[in-house]
Amino acid sequence: MANGAAAVATKLRPLARDVTPALERKTTTTAVAAMWRRLQGSDNWEGILDGETLRGEVARYGELVDACYRAFDLDPTSRRHLNCKYGKERMLAECGLAGAGYVITRYIYAAASSAAAGRWIGYVAVSDDATSRRIGRRDVLVSFRGTVTTEEWMANLKSSLVPARLGGAGVNAVNGDSVKVESGFLDVYTSADETSSRFGGAGSCREQLLREVGRLLASFSGEGDDVSVTLAGHSMGAALAMLLGYDMAGLGLNVLAGGEKIPVTVVSFGGPRVGNAAFKARCDELGVKALRVTNARDPITRLPGVFLNESTTAGAGVLRPWRDACYTHVGVELQLDSSFKVGELAAVHDLSTYISLLRADDKKSKQHAAVKREERGGGGVMGKVMEMVGRRRVGALPWHDAAMLQMGGLVQTLGII
């Protein structure tokens, strides 16, 4: 085992003896371990989307993503402002997930542009020995939060399609510039923090992730155990997870020496569209599996591409010629539905709402979601959108005008959506 693997193993094995019971679930150890490949999308979740086992595991990942919000320091007077409040060893415990069964190996930072300072965006973790036995494999997890800072909101409004140019020279030689993704998400993924984060975020979000995930896969691939990669994120974080899945599969980071592929699965909570039809086709070709968890009333899942998308350009209709220039969802949808009163519309995109709907059989779920939203200041992500859109200006750009561009969605090819 390489030195890197030995270091990680040293952290994992003592924890395996001491961990408290994992997050409360109704599924059994045998059920998850026996069907883990199906749960990761080996057959595109055929016949199990409504199953309790899948929803329990998806909710578990949702809680691991939710920790990114709970640990993000928004106090402008804090030394850790816009970084994680806690060190890696205690972050999950501080967020109420002491028994989650994962060991964080690295924090990840992202800059919304090359001129911006890096902000803490999430973490990379590995399942400990006890959890690995329960779920049937060693799981390498990357967890991303959604949009919070003003710079990230600005990046999200850059909704023109641009060539992805990810996944290595071989991928680009085959696809040229036909594979396109949303420019704002690509900017957050690839921009390097020129000032470098004082908490260790050297290089772009992409560079940090490829180094760490590559290191972990190289470490564990020699153990003889099954290994999976799960990329989980909410909102903008879901888009970053999709870009990472495409990128690492294109680079072959998940391919073992004997040619066997380690499964790469994206679990997207309230995720927007990320790329065009060529991007989707290439993800499918590379074997990247994506489970899109959506709230039927969440408008973010219909952006970008409100009018021109995979549905409106299908078949032989008049919009068919626009197909290759339009945004297209990737993966299989797990749609959740709920009824919201007018005053609750700000909650439709909030991650706590998603977790609550996944655990809909829990009588306390609605109360749980309300408490989580209150902890974040009311309306969660959608509340922040509404607040920001109502402001007059951020820098030189009126938020109202920018929001109208984002919601227009009629002329994508002109860079509006």
Side-chain angles (χ1 to χ4, degrees):
M1 184 180 290
N3 291 337
V8 174
T10 300
K11 288 184 176 181
L12 292 176
R13 293 195 171 97
L15 283 173
R17 292 190 296 272
D18 299 330
V19 312
T20 56
L23 300 176
E24 185 175 344
R25 309 172 186 87
K26 294 186 178 179
T27 57
T28 66
T29 299
T30 303
V32 175
M35 61 184 297
W36 77 263
R37 291 186 182 276
R38 294 189 67 199
L39 293 171
Q40 293 295 107
S42 63
D43 60 355
N44 293 315
W45 297 279
E46 185 70 31
I48 64 172
L49 288 176
D50 293 326
E52 186 178 324
T53 302
L54 175 65
R55 292 187 177 224
E57 286 297 282
V58 172
R60 179 174 72 91
Y61 283 120
E63 288 167 337
L64 288 163
V65 172
D66 190 57
C68 293
Y69 287 111
R70 301 182 71 182
F72 192 49
D73 195 339
L74 290 172
D75 180 1
T77 66
S78 171
R79 185 180 68 87
R80 290 183 172 269
H81 182 225
L82 299 182
N83 286 279
C84 185
K85 299 176 185 177
Y86 317 110
K88 295 191 294 291
E89 292 76 13
R90 64 189 186 97
M91 190 274 267
L92 291 176
E94 291 285 353
C95 294
L97 300 177
Y102 281 80
V103 175
I104 296 176
T105 65
R106 185 176 179 84
Y107 282 163
I108 302 299
Y109 300 81
S113 70
S114 59
R119 314 306 196 197
W120 184 70
I121 196 79
Y123 61 89
V124 182
V126 180
S127 58
D128 62 31
D129 287 354
T131 298
S132 296
R133 287 192 293 271
R134 186 192 72 79
I135 64 177
R137 82 280 185 190
R138 184 77 69 184
D139 188 34
V140 176
L141 168 68
V142 183
S143 179
F144 297 97
R145 64 168 174 82
T147 309
V148 174
T149 71
T150 300
E151 291 84 1
E152 290 162 359
W153 286 117
M154 296 296 287
N156 286 357
L157 295 175
K158 300 176 183 177
S159 58
S160 58
L161 282 165
V162 297
R165 297 176 184 169
L166 303 172
V171 171
N172 292 325
V174 172
N175 296 285
D177 287 341
S178 63
V179 175
K180 296 183 179 182
V181 296
E182 202 255 21
S183 60
F185 299 145
L186 184 65
D187 189 29
V188 174
Y189 183 61
T190 59
S191 292
D193 171 12
E194 293 182 348
T195 64
S196 184
S197 169
R198 65 184 182 277
F199 294 108
S204 67
C205 174
R206 180 196 187 207
E207 291 167 336
Q208 296 167 56
L209 287 165
L210 293 179
R211 281 196 303 266
E212 182 65 5
V213 175
R215 180 184 74 83
L216 291 172
L217 292 182
S219 297
F220 291 114
S221 63
E223 287 191 348
D225 297 330
D226 288 327
V227 180
S228 65
V229 176
T230 305
L231 313 176
H234 173 244
S235 195
M236 179 190 70
L240 295 176
M242 198 71 245
L243 290 175
L244 175 59
Y246 168 81
D247 200 8
M248 63 177 294
L251 290 167
L253 290 184
N254 64 320
V255 180
L256 302 177
E260 180 184 356
K261 287 187 177 181
I262 294 172
V264 176
T265 304
V266 175
V267 182
S268 161
F269 296 93
R273 295 183 179 92
V274 177
N276 64 355
F279 176 74
K280 176 190 182 304
R282 184 57 181 160
C283 285
D284 292 344
E285 182 182 348
L286 291 169
V288 177
K289 301 298 183 179
L291 183 64
R292 295 189 299 105
V293 188
T294 66
N295 179 351
R297 300 175 184 272
D298 183 353
I300 301 301
T301 61
R302 294 188 284 277
L303 294 172
V306 177
F307 296 103
L308 297 176
N309 53 59
E310 68 279 0
S311 298
T312 60
T313 59
V318 295
L319 295 178
R320 172 71 181 183
W322 297 86
R323 183 174 182 271
D324 292 336
C326 295
Y327 282 95
T328 301
H329 269 309
V330 178
V332 174
E333 183 179 24
L334 170 57
Q335 188 177 89
L336 311 173
D337 200 358
S338 60
S339 297
F340 284 89
K341 298 176 183 178
V342 173
E344 298 175 327
L345 289 179
V348 296
H349 185 61
D350 201 71
L351 181 55
S352 60
T353 298
Y354 275 77
I355 297 171
S356 174
L357 293 174
L358 285 163
R359 300 192 185 282
D361 56 338
D362 182 355
K363 294 181 180 179
K364 296 182 180 179
S365 60
K366 289 186 178 180
Q367 181 181 357
H368 176 266
V371 170
K372 290 297 183 64
R373 286 195 296 274
E374 184 64 27
E375 287 175 353
R376 294 188 202 134
V381 176
M382 283 301 292
K384 190 173 288 291
V385 172
M386 295 174 183
E387 176 189 350
M388 287 190 167
V389 168
R391 293 177 184 174
R392 185 68 179 174
R393 287 178 179 271
V394 175
L397 178 66
W399 268 103
H400 175 73
D401 294 344
M404 289 303 292
L405 289 177
Q406 179 71 1
M407 292 300 294
L410 182 57
V411 192
Q412 293 173 324
T413 56
L414 296 180
I416 297 176
I417 278 192

